[in-house]
């Protein structure tokens, strides 16, 4: 096979890869663009008083009083609550989304066609007590 033919074959392969990558990016972009906000709430984190050292460590890792480094994780194996949602702040487990008043969120998080965006803010509700953590949650349908 001559050099010119090898170059042509490689160019065809590269253009195929480029078109495939472009198609994937466009599809992902359109899916993101077509997302629909289906639920929004604000809640505290339950059980932080049982994890004081972890909570202090997570708060210490935050660059300011707010962070988007929040992860909500289902815990179906929880023996007390099969709909439990764990809260991770800066990668550290600090507590749970409370049961009370969060029925809709607890059901939505079971869905597979959603994206959850969460932001944590540190607040003092009582000057004589430790900081509390408030979570702003948005659930987007994709």
């Amino acid at each position: 096979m001559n050099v010119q033919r090898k170059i042509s074959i490689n160019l065809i392969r590269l253009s195929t890869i480029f078109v495939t990558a472009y198609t994937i990016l466009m599809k992902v972009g359109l899916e993101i663009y077509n997302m629909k906000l289906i639920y929004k709430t604000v809640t505290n984190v339950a059980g932080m008083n049982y994890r004081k050292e972890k909570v202090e460590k997570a708060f210490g890792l935050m660059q300011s009083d707010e962070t988007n480094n929040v992860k909500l994780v289902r815990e179906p194996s929880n023996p007390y609550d099969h709909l439990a949602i764990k809260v991770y702040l800066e990668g550290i487990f600090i507590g749970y989304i409370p049961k009370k008043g969060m029925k809709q969120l607890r059901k939505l998080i079971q869905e597979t066609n959603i994206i959850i965006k969460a932001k944590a803010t540190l607040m003092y509700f009582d000057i004589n007590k430790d900081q509390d953590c408030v979570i702003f949650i948005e659930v987007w349908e994709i």
Side-chain angles (χ1 to χ4, degrees), residues 32-43:
I32 291 170
Y33 181 75
N34 289 324
M35 290 189 327
K36 177 181 163 189
L37 181 65
I38 58 173
Y39 182 76
K40 194 174 188 177
T41 191
V42 178
T43 186

Side-chain angles (χ1 to χ4, degrees), residues 21 31 61 64-65 83 127:
E31 286 177 4
L61 291 172
S64 67
D65 286 349
L83 295 176
I127 201 154

